[in-house]
């Protein structure tokens, strides 16, 4: 029988709390296990001063728990807005300057869904996309990208994939592939390539065939994706503004989403300062100012962490995997929101300054020249997108927000080279290769989807940005 589906995003089910609490007891040391049950932990034995320093431990906990608190904050917002769970919402148009989410591309139609696997698996259904690039990125509440459905990983034929919660035992129908999720709450992010304005209806038709169904309702009552104006609701957050309450949220998140056994030692250290599943560190009034300051200091470490390597004025974060072991690296990657791709899916090259070392600014004219045969080597697509300092697309007179391998009418040199002109005023050469810039500062991001081997191993270098001087 098809189970009744709750139309709103629920609080974590009691069954999930019981399961995760048992899992915590199994993986945690005595102190952390006691905390999971809400009883005092045994007194810690004498350790080094560094190991017991509350501020240092609080900073470590802030950094380690950053992705979890971020996702819990987004989930809480979704509940407040009564966003339906286990429903996929997709964009009915490409991103524009009005798009609220930070750093959207202008190449794909986006979609998102919060999935709750606590009651039963959810089946993701995809159509045959006829080799059109698409991806459905699956992230747990620690922002681990534990799986993809899409062109690179599963191909572009029609398929059905059942996402299962930790500990699920059961059988799946023939033709349904299981994907085991590390947590019961999952964020699914879809991207569907648009080849150009004329291709938009076809791309929308593809994503309209994405569907979700509880396992008990599959396949008879699958719910197709719903097109909306704004499917991504992930504004950039300043979690440090939560102060000491940040650590209460971390403790709440640990109840419903316990970390893997490899983090046992960290849980034991955090327990020494009252941070653990089900705890509320702010109950200790004396600890509140210390925790609040630790949040500020740790957040500064995250924002200042250099996680990208630079070549020719471009920075790129290489080696991003589904499960990032270094907590500071993972937090830095996550600070702008969920959805950072693993390297094999996409590499993003970012430029903030010109050849003079100064911030890119519309008061100057710039160019990016690719020599003949030296366009970014990709198996899917590449694009160069311009953002304002707020990571929003910038209004311009020709409504062009990116240039890439699908841009119609690009003018190539007689030698086969391609030069993109990045400036505020219209180039004397015309609009063909013009990426309009604002009057003020801006940021460039060059995306490479399904990057080739030369991009992944670093043997291909992005060309430098050059300048023709001031306007």
């Amino acid at each position: 029988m098809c189970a009744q589906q709750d139309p709103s995003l629920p609080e974590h089910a009691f069954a999930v709390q019981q399961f995760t609490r048992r899992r915590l007891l199994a993986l945690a040391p005595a102190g952390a296990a006691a905390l999971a049950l809400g009883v005092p932990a045994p007194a810690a034995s004498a350790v080094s001063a560094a190991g017991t320093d509350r501020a240092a431990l609080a900073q470590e906990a802030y950094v380690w728990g950053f992705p979890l608190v971020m996702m819990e904050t987004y989930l809480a917002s979704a509940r407040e807005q009564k966003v339906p769970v286990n429903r996929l919402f997709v964009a009915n148009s490409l991103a524009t300057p009005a798009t609220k989410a930070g750093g959207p591309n202008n190449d794909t139609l986006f979609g998102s869904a919060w999935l709750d696997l606590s009651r039963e698996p959810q089946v993701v259904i995809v159509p045959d996309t006829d080799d059109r690039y698409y991806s459905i990125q699956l992230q747990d509440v620690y922002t681990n990208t534990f799986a993809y459905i899409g062109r690179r990983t599963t191909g572009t034929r029609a398929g059905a994939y059942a996402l299962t919660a930790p500990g699920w035992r059961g059988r799946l129908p023939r033709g349904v592939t299981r994907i085991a999720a590390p947590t019961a709450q999952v964020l699914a992010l879809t991207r569907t390539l648009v080849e150009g304005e004329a291709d938009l209806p076809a791309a929308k038709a593809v994503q309209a065939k994405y569907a979700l169904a509880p396992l008990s309702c599959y396949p008879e009552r699958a719910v197709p994706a719903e097109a909306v104006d704004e499917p991504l609701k992930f504004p950039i957050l300043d979690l440090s503004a939560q102060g000491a309450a940040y650590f209460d949220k971390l403790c709440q998140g640990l109840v419903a989403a316990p970390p893997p056994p490899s983090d046992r030692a960290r849980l034991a250290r955090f327990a020494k300062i009252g941070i653990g599943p089900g705890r509320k560190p702010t109950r200790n009034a004396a600890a509140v100012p210390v925790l609040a300051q630790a949040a500020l200091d740790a957040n500064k470490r995250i924002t200042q962490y250099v996680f990208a390597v630079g070549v020719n004025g471009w920075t790129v974060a290489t080696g991003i995997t589904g499960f990032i072991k270094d907590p500071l690296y993972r937090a830095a990657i996550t600070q702008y929101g969920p959805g950072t791709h693993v390297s094999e899916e996409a590499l993003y090259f970012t430029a903030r300054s010109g050849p003079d070392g100064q911030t890119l600014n519309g008061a100057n004219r710039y160019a990016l020249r690719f020599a003949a045969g030296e366009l970014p080597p990709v198996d899917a697509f590449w694009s160069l997108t311009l953002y304002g300092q707020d990571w929003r697309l910038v209004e311009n007179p020709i409504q062009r927000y990116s240039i890439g391998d699908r841009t119609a009418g690009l003018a190539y040199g007689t030698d086969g080279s391609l030069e993109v002109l990045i400036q505020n005023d219209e180039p004397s050469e015309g609009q063909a290769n013009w990426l309009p810039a604002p009057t003020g500062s801006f940021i460039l991001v060059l995306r490479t989807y399904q990057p080739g081997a030369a991009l992944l191993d670093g043997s291909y270098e992005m060309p430098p940005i050059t300048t023709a001087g001031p306007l």
Side-chain angles (χ1 to χ4, degrees), residues 11-28 32-37 68 72 116-119 141-142 164-168 181-185 250-261 267 276-278:
E11 296 296 331
H12 298 301
F14 176 76
V16 176
Q17 293 180 347
Q18 294 302 313
F19 167 74
T20 54
R21 183 164 292 188
R22 290 196 299 271
R23 181 178 167 192
L24 276 169
L25 293 176
L27 67 87
L35 293 177
L37 291 172
L68 177 60
E72 287 293 328
D116 180 10
L117 314 179
S118 60
R119 293 174 181 156
V141 293
Y142 289 89
T164 63
W168 182 80
T183 60
Q185 302 290 333
L250 173 57
C251 293
Q252 294 167 11
L254 287 170
V255 173
L267 283 178

Side-chain angles (χ1 to χ4, degrees), residues 19-351:
F19 167 74
T20 54
R21 183 164 292 188
R22 290 196 299 271
R23 181 178 167 192
L24 276 169
L25 293 176
L27 67 87
L35 293 177
L37 291 172
V39 299
S45 59
V47 292
S48 67
T52 57
D53 181 76
R54 181 180 297 275
L57 280 174
Q59 286 191 42
E60 181 186 352
Y62 182 98
V63 170
W64 176 83
F66 186 92
L68 177 60
V69 176
M70 184 193 74
M71 293 290 266
E72 287 293 328
T73 302
Y74 286 135
L75 271 166
S77 176
R79 293 186 185 108
E80 290 173 2
Q81 298 175 46
K82 301 188 183 302
V83 175
V85 70
N86 299 330
R87 291 280 303 279
L88 176 59
F89 297 94
V90 294
N92 55 25
S93 62
L94 292 171
T96 70
T99 302
K100 295 178 182 179
N105 73 44
N106 190 241
D107 308 288
T108 66
L109 293 170
F110 284 98
S112 66
W114 286 108
L115 305 179
D116 180 10
L117 314 179
S118 60
R119 293 174 181 156
E120 62 177 309
Q122 295 293 317
V123 182
V124 180
I125 303 161
V126 295
D128 189 327
T129 70
D130 192 25
D131 200 45
R132 178 187 299 270
Y133 175 86
Y134 85 98
S135 66
I136 301 179
Q137 182 181 13
L138 301 170
Q139 289 196 314
D140 66 16
V141 293
Y142 289 89
T143 67
N144 297 309
T145 298
F146 62 90
Y148 279 93
I149 301 168
R151 184 174 183 266
R152 179 182 63 88
T153 54
T154 59
T156 60
R157 292 185 178 180
Y161 304 85
L163 274 64
T164 63
W168 182 80
R169 299 288 184 272
R171 301 184 66 178
L172 297 175
R174 178 174 296 183
V176 177
T177 301
R178 179 181 180 182
I179 298 177
T183 60
Q185 302 290 333
V186 168
L187 175 62
L189 297 170
T190 72
R191 297 168 175 90
T192 307
L193 181 63
V194 179
E195 294 285 352
E197 193 65 31
D199 182 54
L200 185 57
K204 291 170 68 173
V206 167
Q207 68 171 7
K209 295 179 182 178
Y210 301 152
L212 290 170
L215 181 60
S216 61
C217 299
Y218 174 81
E220 294 83 5
R221 292 181 55 186
V223 178
E226 179 181 344
V228 295
D229 290 334
E230 192 82 24
L232 297 182
K233 300 181 184 295
F234 306 108
I236 297 173
L237 302 173
D238 178 10
L239 296 181
S240 65
Q242 299 178 6
Y246 172 98
F247 298 94
D248 289 346
K249 287 190 176 182
L250 173 57
C251 293
Q252 294 167 11
L254 287 170
V255 173
S262 58
D263 282 312
R264 179 183 301 174
R266 285 195 175 91
L267 283 178
R269 287 199 301 275
F270 300 158
K272 296 169 186 174
I273 59 171
I275 296 174
R279 296 292 293 244
K280 190 172 184 179
T282 58
R283 285 177 180 165
N284 181 352
V288 169
V290 177
L291 293 173
Q293 186 61 47
L296 291 172
D297 294 340
N299 199 70
K300 186 179 296 183
R301 290 173 55 199
I302 293 171
T303 59
Q304 294 179 347
Y305 182 73
V306 179
F307 58 82
V309 297
V311 177
N312 289 337
W314 298 92
T315 58
V316 59
T318 59
I320 297 178
T321 60
F323 293 84
I324 298 174
K325 294 182 179 180
D326 180 353
L328 187 55
Y329 185 31
R330 182 181 65 174
I333 291 293
T334 303
Q335 63 181 301
Y336 298 117
T340 301
H341 279 304
V342 302
S343 296
E344 290 79 9
E345 192 70 28
L347 285 177
Y348 292 3
F349 295 79
T350 303

Side-chain angles (χ1 to χ4, degrees), residues 52 55 58 95 210 327 394 410 418:
T52 57
Y210 301 152
V394 177
L410 288 176
L418 174 66

Side-chain angles (χ1 to χ4, degrees), residues 349 368-384 403-407 410-413 415-420 433 446-455 459-463:
F349 295 79
L368 178 63
R369 182 181 184 276
F370 296 97
E374 292 297 322
L375 291 172
V378 294
D379 292 331
F381 66 92
W382 68 268
S383 69
L384 177 68
I403 278 183
D405 56 2
R406 290 146 295 113
T407 302
L410 288 176
Y412 290 81
D415 61 353
S417 63
L418 174 66
E419 186 172 57
V420 179
N433 294 8
L446 198 152
R447 289 175 167 84
T448 60
Y449 271 69
Q450 290 188 236
L455 278 165
S459 57
Y460 174 88
E461 294 183 359
M462 288 295 168

